[in-house]
Structure formats: structure tokens, C-alpha cells
Amino acid sequence: MTTILMYDGSFNGFLSAVFIKYEYKMQQVRIRKAAFTSKNLFDSIEEVITNDKKAERVWLKLKQKCSSKGLSFLYKAYLSEIIGGEDLMLKFIEIALQSEKCIASDYSSPVVLKLSQIAKKIHREKHRMEAFVRFKQTKDNIYFATISPDYNVLPLICSHFEKRYADQKWIIYDEKRNYGLYYNGNHVIIVKIDFKKDALSSQNKALFYTRDESDFQVLWKSYFKMTNIVSRKNTKLHLQHVPKRYWKYLTEKELY
């Protein structure tokens, strides 16, 4: 019988489940988020309470056994939100703890190879979000941007925007996961906002954004229109660098 360790979905929750597995010497274990766990006749389910101290002990042990690349693989696999990704992460941890040397570069291992491929996808999404975020100035003098990335990359892009826009308050809000990053001028905090229906629609822009914001958007669109060289247009190449699913974030794309 397999024991399913059900956690709250946080990274520390996952590490707490790993701690429980080793503390009780469990053999057949799967780790699942509570939202994706369902009962069946053959498996037993145990709820894991997130314990930051236990999570820290697991992380410190992994630091002794893995390079920063290996730790990055694990964290990015967690952020990928792939269903069943915990199985890969747990297998990686089991191999890492048994190995005499770091396994992060051992691509002959299917587990390491798969995790590295997932990490590559997350890194690509992070890079695109850093490039495609477009802030708009609200009447509260906070620069606001919405995104809905394929993967949960907000924790990865936080440092980039904190350094780049340290002189102004801003919010980057993930509409898909309903949480955001708010930089208050000193540090970043996690926020959740209960938006009313259609609050961010184009019809309600005037309620939230400054008049200057509208003028700057017109200037920005004009800039792109004037710098566009129609005879050198290469739509196929353009779509490779700026996939269509990101156009909704880009002010300049409202031209098309």
C-alpha cells in the first residue's frame, strides 16, 4: 500500500513531507498537494502540517549533497506546478542523499534529465515575464501590471524588478494564481486582491489609471508604429521571440 503525504501546496510543506518520509522510514510514498489528492481503495492518505524548522533541516541537508544547480532544479520543478512533479522531486532527493557526489550534472539519470528539462522551461518563462511586463500608473501612484504565466514564476522575477524599479512602488499581479508582488519602496510583500468582476477591463481603465498613463500609452504606441519597417517585417521570426499568448500584456500590441 502506498502512503500519500498530503501537503498544503507550499514549498516548505513539500519539504516537511520529505522530512516525515525519512523520520518514519516510509518506503512507498507519494507526495501530493491537498488540492490534487483524492481517496481510493488502495492508498492511505496522511496530512502533513507544514513545519518550517523541519523544512529547513531538509533544505540544509540537500545543500550539503547538491550544488546550487541541483537545488535550483528542485525549486523550479516545484514552481512548474506539474501534477505529479513531486514524484520526480522526491526521487531526485532520494538519489541525491544516497550518492557520494553531486548528481545535478548526471544527465544519464532520467530523473536528473527530466528535472533539468522542466527547469529550462521555467527559466524561459521567467525570462519572458521579465521582458513582457508592462506597468501602468494608477491614481494611487502605484505602477501596476498583470500577468498569467504558464508557470508560477513570480518568486523568480521578484529580485529582477526589485533591483530595477527600486525608486517606485509597484505591483505585479498573477491573475491565474490570484496573488501578486507588492513593492512598497522598501521591500516586497505577497498580496492578494479581491477584484470586482471586470474591474481591470478596458472599459474601467479611467477609474484606476492616471490621465498621464493614457497619454504615455499613446506615445508608446506611436513610437512602435513609427519605428516599424514594413518591408522588413518577418512575422515568423517575431512570433518566435514574442509568442502571441503574451501579446495581451503588451501595450504596443494594442496597435494590431
Side-chain angles (χ1 to χ4, degrees), residues 51-62:
N51 184 309
D52 291 340
K53 290 184 177 178
K54 290 181 179 179
E56 185 179 7
R57 285 178 62 182
V58 174
W59 194 244
L60 288 174
K61 185 65 179 177
L62 289 172

Side-chain angles (χ1 to χ4, degrees), residues 202-227:
S202 56
Q203 291 81 4
N204 291 323
K205 280 182 177 178
L207 295 175
F208 293 95
Y209 302 119
T210 63
R211 176 61 185 274
D212 285 347
E213 174 60 36
S214 300
D215 294 340
F216 279 121
Q217 287 189 26
V218 171
L219 284 173
W220 187 244
K221 292 174 186 177
S222 298
Y223 166 76
F224 269 84
K225 186 176 182 179
M226 298 306 292
T227 55

Side-chain angles (χ1 to χ4, degrees), residues 2 30 37 41 44 103 110 122 126 132-133 143 147 150 156 163 165 188 201-202 221 224 226 231 240 246 252:
T2 299
R30 287 182 178 175
T37 302
L41 294 175
S44 64
I103 63 168
I122 309 302
K126 166 189 173 290
F132 297 151
V133 164
Y143 290 85
I147 60 174
D150 293 340
L156 299 178
K163 292 175 183 173
Y165 300 108
V188 174
S201 65
S202 56
K221 292 174 186 177
F224 269 84
M226 298 306 292
S231 60
Q240 286 179 8
Y246 299 107
E252 60 270 27

Side-chain angles (χ1 to χ4, degrees), residues 54-153:
K54 290 181 179 179
E56 185 179 7
R57 285 178 62 182
V58 174
W59 194 244
L60 288 174
K61 185 65 179 177
L62 289 172
K63 278 185 173 180
Q64 295 172 6
K65 304 293 289 188
C66 295
S67 62
S68 58
K69 183 166 73 172
L71 298 175
S72 175
F73 283 174
L74 274 178
Y75 188 52
K76 287 177 178 173
Y78 163 74
L79 294 177
S80 74
E81 301 176 327
I82 293 173
I83 295 176
E86 292 93 341
D87 292 338
L88 268 176
M89 296 163 66
L90 182 58
K91 192 66 182 173
F92 180 89
I93 291 172
E94 290 173 347
I95 298 172
L97 295 181
Q98 292 170 3
S99 177
E100 295 293 326
K101 58 183 180 181
C102 177
I103 63 168
S105 298
D106 181 11
Y107 297 108
S108 64
S109 164
V111 174
V112 176
L113 179 62
K114 185 64 179 177
L115 274 187
S116 70
Q117 291 169 340
I118 293 172
K120 191 173 182 180
K121 290 180 182 178
I122 309 302
H123 183 77
R124 188 182 301 123
E125 185 79 339
K126 166 189 173 290
H127 179 70
R128 283 173 171 166
M129 284 299 111
E130 288 174 348
F132 297 151
V133 164
R134 297 287 186 271
F135 288 105
K136 296 175 182 176
Q137 187 179 22
T138 68
K139 291 179 178 177
D140 297 318
N141 201 30
I142 296 173
Y143 290 85
F144 185 80
T146 57
I147 60 174
S148 52
D150 293 340
Y151 308 110
N152 181 19
V153 295

Side-chain angles (χ1 to χ4, degrees), residues 220-238:
W220 187 244
K221 292 174 186 177
S222 298
Y223 166 76
F224 269 84
K225 186 176 182 179
M226 298 306 292
T227 55
N228 182 41
I229 302 174
V230 177
S231 60
R232 300 184 66 180
K233 188 174 181 178
N234 186 334
T235 303
K236 186 177 179 180
L237 180 64
H238 181 66

